[in-house]
Amino acid sequence: MAITIEGTAFPLGEINKNGWSIPFSEADNAISSLKNSVLRICPRDAPHECDFSEDPNAEIGRVIDAWREGSEIKARASVTDTVAERKIQDGTWENTWSVYSLANSIDNNWASGIQARSLTRVQNPAWEQATWNIAEEGNNDQMPEKSVCFL
């Protein structure tokens, strides 16, 4: 059964460690494309390599919702890969991620025409605020006390 994680995907209007930013004017576009994104994990020594190739084997879930709270874009993702679920639950992985997106252009550090492609679990996110927490845990061990079947 899947677990759900949620948190800040990225802040609006703040230049990241890579020297670019998503302006407030791109909020709706970023949100709508983020809602159609996947959740990925790439190798530690190549934090976005699986994003560049859009490797389906690196997908560990899907973004199921995205919204704006003040100057931050928040996201909720369902983790459907059982190994990833276990590593999240036992604290093996840091609770940081990074949005991988394409842009039509970047002019004076401001991206336009944003198309979010994934949220990727990374050790060092481009924005310090890009963190998540477990929002909901699935539990395969719970069974109802009585089961009723109607034929």
Side-chain angles (χ1 to χ4, degrees):
M1 193 160 186
I3 63 168
T4 303
I5 60 175
E6 95 176 24
T8 300
F10 54 87
L12 295 166
E14 183 178 313
I15 295 176
N16 68 20
K17 294 175 189 173
N18 299 317
W20 61 275
S21 178
I22 300 173
F24 286 84
S25 60
E26 285 288 321
D28 289 340
N29 193 27
I31 290 167
S32 65
S33 61
L34 195 56
K35 287 180 179 182
N36 293 309
S37 296
V38 296
L39 186 63
R40 288 194 183 110
I41 177 81
C42 295
R44 286 184 198 265
D45 60 346
H48 283 289
E49 187 66 34
C50 67
D51 289 322
F52 302 144
S53 64
E54 300 215 7
D55 180 3
N57 293 317
E59 294 176 13
I60 59 171
R62 299 204 58 77
V63 176
I64 55 176
D65 200 6
W67 64 96
R68 180 176 172 183
E69 283 185 19
S71 63
E72 294 185 333
I73 300 299
K74 303 281 190 172
R76 178 178 273 243
S78 176
V79 180
T80 55
D81 181 278
T82 57
V83 173
E85 179 180 0
R86 186 179 71 245
K87 289 184 181 227
I88 287 169
Q89 288 174 321
D90 68 17
T92 299
W93 289 343
E94 296 86 356
N95 68 330
T96 49
W97 55 13
S98 184
V99 64
Y100 170 69
S101 56
L102 303 175
N104 290 339
S105 66
I106 298 178
D107 187 29
N108 291 323
N109 305 94
W110 300 101
S112 64
I114 292 293
Q115 181 187 8
R117 304 293 296 156
S118 69
L119 278 173
T120 304
R121 217 268 344 134
V122 297
Q123 286 182 294
N124 299 305
W127 287 281
E128 294 298 323
Q129 303 94 314
T131 62
W132 51 265
N133 289 300
I134 296 174
E136 198 175 296
E137 294 189 55
N139 189 340
N140 292 329
D141 298 330
Q142 290 184 347
M143 295 293 294
E145 288 184 26
K146 292 184 180 180
S147 295
V148 178
C149 179
F150 297 99
L151 299 175

